Amino acid sequence: MADTTKAGKKKNRKQHKKPSRDDLQITWLKQIPPRQCSATAGPGSFVSINQEGFIHELPAEAPNKASWTVGDKVDANADGEPLKVTLGKREILSGMDLAMEGMCVGDKISVVIPPHMAYDDPVYDGVWDKPGKRKPVPDGTTMRYHISLVGVQNGVVVKRTDYTPMFLALGVIILILGGLAMLVFRSTGAKANKTSKKDKEKKKKR
């Protein structure tokens, strides 16, 4: 049985694995072309998202397991409005927070989140004991979220290589080569005309 005392919760918190993006299974459902992305979401970004959370896997020892089904939707935007949070502030599940790093507005992902980065995250210790609060899934549940990024502020600016100077230089080189080719052509044509006139003059003298 879990130790729910203050000391026990502190001990359990230390035993929990630290959240890491490497523990997530991220699948891109939609990804906009890089040239259309001016900034990506990252720690400190204020984002607006549409999200849905589903039970991906239930633990074998889950109590009242018959009342839960893999695929059940247990989370979604309230009133259909985008959820607005600041990344890195633990305002949402750590798995969701880390999964959104690098997303552009218009991108959509599906992410499988292990229990320690979902509702078993120790940051929620004591939250479910409050009046009116109930954990939406059994302990040890793996979650799957679909997340669409619809807005981002304070994003990470995407740096792009400016090819304008290169194209301008290439254009100048082409003009110079074209001019040289024209000069050579005219010079060759002039010499050919002179030769032709000389030949005609020689024939007349004969």
Side-chain angles (χ1 to χ4, degrees), residues 104-204:
C104 298
V105 173
D107 286 347
K108 182 177 182 178
I109 61 172
S110 173
V111 55
V112 176
I113 305 174
H116 73 282
M117 297 175 69
Y119 291 102
D120 288 359
D121 192 327
V123 76
Y124 293 113
D125 282 351
V127 171
W128 312 118
D129 299 329
K130 295 178 180 179
K133 292 286 186 180
R134 185 178 73 88
K135 198 170 186 176
V137 294
D139 290 346
T141 299
T142 299
M143 294 294 297
R144 173 171 51 85
Y145 270 84
H146 291 172
I147 305 171
S148 298
L149 185 63
V150 296
V152 60
Q153 297 177 24
N154 299 326
V156 181
V157 177
V158 177
K159 294 182 179 180
R160 293 189 178 86
T161 302
D162 186 2
Y163 293 102
T164 302
M166 185 183 72
F167 286 126
L168 288 174
L170 184 60
V172 171
I173 292 172
I174 291 173
L175 287 173
I176 291 173
L177 291 176
L180 290 174
M182 186 63 69
L183 288 173
V184 171
F185 176 77
R186 288 180 176 177
S187 177
T188 303
K191 289 180 180 179
N193 288 334
K194 288 181 180 179
T195 302
S196 177
K197 287 180 179 180
K198 287 182 180 179
D199 290 340
K200 288 180 179 179
E201 290 176 355
K202 287 179 180 180
K203 287 180 180 180
K204 288 180 179 180

Side-chain angles (χ1 to χ4, degrees), residues 41-51 77 81-93 96-98 100 124 147-154:
S45 298
F46 182 71
V47 300
S48 300
I49 62 172
N50 289 324
Q51 53 86 27
N77 288 20
E81 293 295 322
L83 176 65
K84 298 181 179 182
V85 296
T86 300
L87 299 186
K89 298 293 186 180
R90 304 307 300 271
E91 296 176 0
I92 52 175
L93 301 180
M96 295 174 64
D97 194 308
L98 292 173
M100 283 188 280
Y124 293 113
I147 305 171
S148 298
L149 185 63
V150 296
V152 60
Q153 297 177 24
N154 299 326

